[in-house]
Amino acid sequence: ACLYGATGGDFHANGRAGERFCVRNSGAYAVAEGTGDHCCEYMTGGVVVVLGTVGRNVGAGMTGGIGYFYDKDGGFKERVNPEIVKMQRVTTGAGQDQLKHIIERHFEKTGSEKAEEILNNWDDEIGNFWQIYPPSEGQNPVVKDADGVDQLRVSAAAPDGEMCFLPVGGDLNPDQTAR
């Protein structure tokens, strides 16, 4: 186990980490070029970047933080424990900026050839990264773009058959709830 329960700091491994990398991480920024099983298990904060393959059960019990995983060969999806975490490509500008900055720092600190190759081909390589996050991070700007549109939910069909919309957090008046 490496960085078990880490509460802060900046870690860069120019090589693979073993099993349970960043288990219970609550604040460290960490980069490794591959990991064993149970990466990011029970993580509550921080950011993890893995630039290589991983073992099974990634993100099990993860309740905070963000993980970025390089998946050039397409095998990452089967390695994630989907009970809590969500998985998506890095879709936001803030997420891409965060990931690139961390990889740049990794290259500066370690001279990693893998990091250099990714950075030299950034526009193509960004599409090979997955981002995992728990629901608590769903509104984080690195996960979701702020689109400025008020959220709406369908509350009911009006008597005339038209759809009724209620802003999130809004209340129905008595006329809207009458049957």
Side-chain angles (χ1 to χ4, degrees):
C2 182
L3 299 176
Y4 184 97
T7 58
D10 190 20
F11 176 86
H12 299 271
N14 188 359
R16 291 184 61 84
E19 292 189 3
R20 293 195 153 74
F21 182 65
C22 288
V23 169
R24 298 194 185 278
N25 177 25
S26 64
Y29 283 67
V31 183
E33 298 192 1
T35 72
D37 296 344
H38 313 294
C39 182
C40 301
E41 187 178 39
Y42 304 117
M43 192 165 130
T44 61
V47 179
V48 172
V49 176
V50 180
L51 302 178
T53 59
V54 295
R56 65 184 175 83
N57 205 33
V58 174
M62 185 177 173
T63 59
I66 305 289
Y68 295 98
F69 294 85
Y70 184 67
D71 183 29
K72 187 145 188 146
D73 299 326
F76 179 70
K77 276 184 168 181
E78 299 85 48
R79 306 272 185 206
V80 175
N81 182 323
E83 289 180 19
I84 296 176
V85 296
K86 297 182 184 302
M87 179 176 157
Q88 67 183 21
R89 294 295 184 178
V90 185
T91 59
T92 68
Q96 290 180 12
D97 290 346
Q98 180 182 55
L99 175 60
K100 188 173 185 182
H101 174 74
I102 292 170
I103 296 172
E104 287 170 341
R105 183 156 170 79
H106 180 65
F107 176 69
E108 290 167 9
K109 293 289 185 185
T110 67
S112 164
E113 291 176 11
K114 186 157 216 163
E116 183 177 32
E117 181 181 323
I118 290 169
L119 292 168
N120 286 341
N121 299 295
W122 182 252
D123 291 339
D124 293 327
E125 295 287 13
I126 186 64
N128 291 320
F129 280 92
W130 289 103
Q131 182 182 59
I132 66 165
Y133 61 95
S136 65
E137 300 286 357
Q139 299 302 311
N140 187 321
V142 302
V143 171
K144 180 182 177 192
D145 271 326
D147 56 15
V149 176
D150 289 338
Q151 291 181 329
L152 298 174
R153 68 176 180 226
V154 175
S155 61
D160 62 3
E162 294 293 315
M163 297 298 285
C164 294
F165 292 95
L166 180 67
V168 172
D171 292 320
L172 295 172
N173 65 41
D175 291 337
Q176 291 170 310
T177 58
R179 295 200 177 245

